[in-house]
Amino acid sequence: HTCYKVKLIILYVQRYNMPINEKKQRGNEFWLKGIVDKDEALRLEKVFAPHCNQGTKHALKVLTEGVAVHHVYEFGLTAYAHEYQGVSSYVKGYLDIPNEGALTSWQIAVGYLALAYFYGHIGIPRQFFAKLLGVREDLDALVTTEYLTHGGKQFVFEEDNTWRVTHHVVAKEILEQILCRQKGRPDKEGKLSDNAR
């Protein structure tokens, strides 16, 4: 029998639903933003690519070389599509929907964005949300993702004054959780559950 000394590191990861900004390491706590930098993107591509077909490898390469801000879950979605299991907890953690009672204005806005992207593959002009988010009509050009709070900004991509949900699978999960007030069911075909329809 051979005995090896094995070092084991256990990480306890907790989602922090507030902006981290410039917080530094404190003792044995590390603050991670969830946004992937260029070096991390290259490492994630190397981890996922060996398990993918050529088309998916190309999609990972595009994701890695892109100039847009990307989150860790996007690499899992690209590699595993609807079989990826991390989206439900990601959406639940940031959407933070109460079991009962009314949704906040930013949650309603994200719900509209998910509806538009899931069914129409389109975004919505950000000025559409001015009244809902409490911005005066004469200042609707000043509507920014800051009105969506930290949680809402995790799901929204802005381009040419238009907001859309970052990914079709994320839009589906947002609809599942808003309409059913529960964790969405995995569906390999990308369809909404009967309860959400």
Side-chain angles (χ1 to χ4, degrees):
H1 297 313
T2 306
C3 185
Y4 295 99
K5 289 185 178 181
V6 177
K7 293 183 179 181
L8 178 65
I9 298 172
I10 298 174
L11 299 176
Y12 172 70
V13 180
Q14 183 177 7
R15 183 172 283 115
Y16 193 65
N17 288 340
M18 303 295 285
I20 292 175
N21 298 326
E22 299 302 317
K23 291 186 180 176
K24 305 284 186 216
Q25 177 183 351
R26 184 177 69 200
N28 61 356
E29 291 182 353
F30 296 86
W31 301 92
L32 304 174
K33 292 188 178 188
I35 296 171
V36 178
D37 67 23
K38 186 68 174 172
D39 290 336
E40 292 167 327
L42 289 169
R43 287 195 297 271
L44 285 168
E45 179 189 1
K46 286 179 183 176
V47 168
F48 286 117
H51 309 287
C52 300
N53 62 33
Q54 281 306 112
T56 305
K57 285 180 183 179
H58 176 71
L60 284 169
K61 179 68 89 186
V62 169
L63 194 62
T64 302
E65 294 174 352
V67 294
V69 173
H70 294 292
H71 294 84
V72 174
Y73 78 88
E74 293 178 77
F75 288 85
L77 275 178
T78 302
Y80 299 111
H82 299 289
E83 294 177 11
Y84 181 66
Q85 299 295 313
V87 175
S88 182
S89 64
Y90 174 81
V91 170
K92 183 175 181 153
Y94 283 113
L95 199 53
D96 197 25
I97 295 177
N99 291 333
E100 296 178 4
L103 299 174
T104 64
S105 58
W106 73 265
Q107 290 169 329
I108 294 168
V110 167
Y112 278 123
L113 289 166
L115 195 63
Y117 197 65
F118 184 78
Y119 285 108
H121 302 283
I122 59 168
I124 299 175
R126 65 184 187 181
Q127 289 84 357
F128 175 83
F129 299 104
K131 187 174 182 179
L132 175 64
L133 297 173
V135 179
R136 290 190 349 223
E137 288 183 39
D138 59 327
L139 298 176
D140 66 356
L142 301 178
V143 175
T144 67
T145 55
E146 294 302 315
Y147 287 96
L148 297 176
T149 74
H150 178 68
K153 288 191 292 186
Q154 304 306 308
F155 309 121
V156 177
F157 175 76
E158 182 173 0
E159 185 176 52
D160 298 328
N161 295 322
T162 300
W163 291 348
R164 71 167 173 81
V165 173
T166 54
H167 197 283
H168 189 263
V169 175
V170 174
K172 175 195 175 289
E173 188 60 36
I174 289 168
L175 291 174
E176 287 285 353
Q177 292 188 23
I178 287 177
L179 298 173
C180 298
R181 300 279 178 116
Q182 64 187 17
K183 181 178 168 183
R185 297 179 333 180
D187 185 296
K188 294 186 191 229
E189 296 176 16
K191 296 178 183 173
L192 284 174
S193 68
D194 290 336
N195 289 339
R197 281 189 242 164

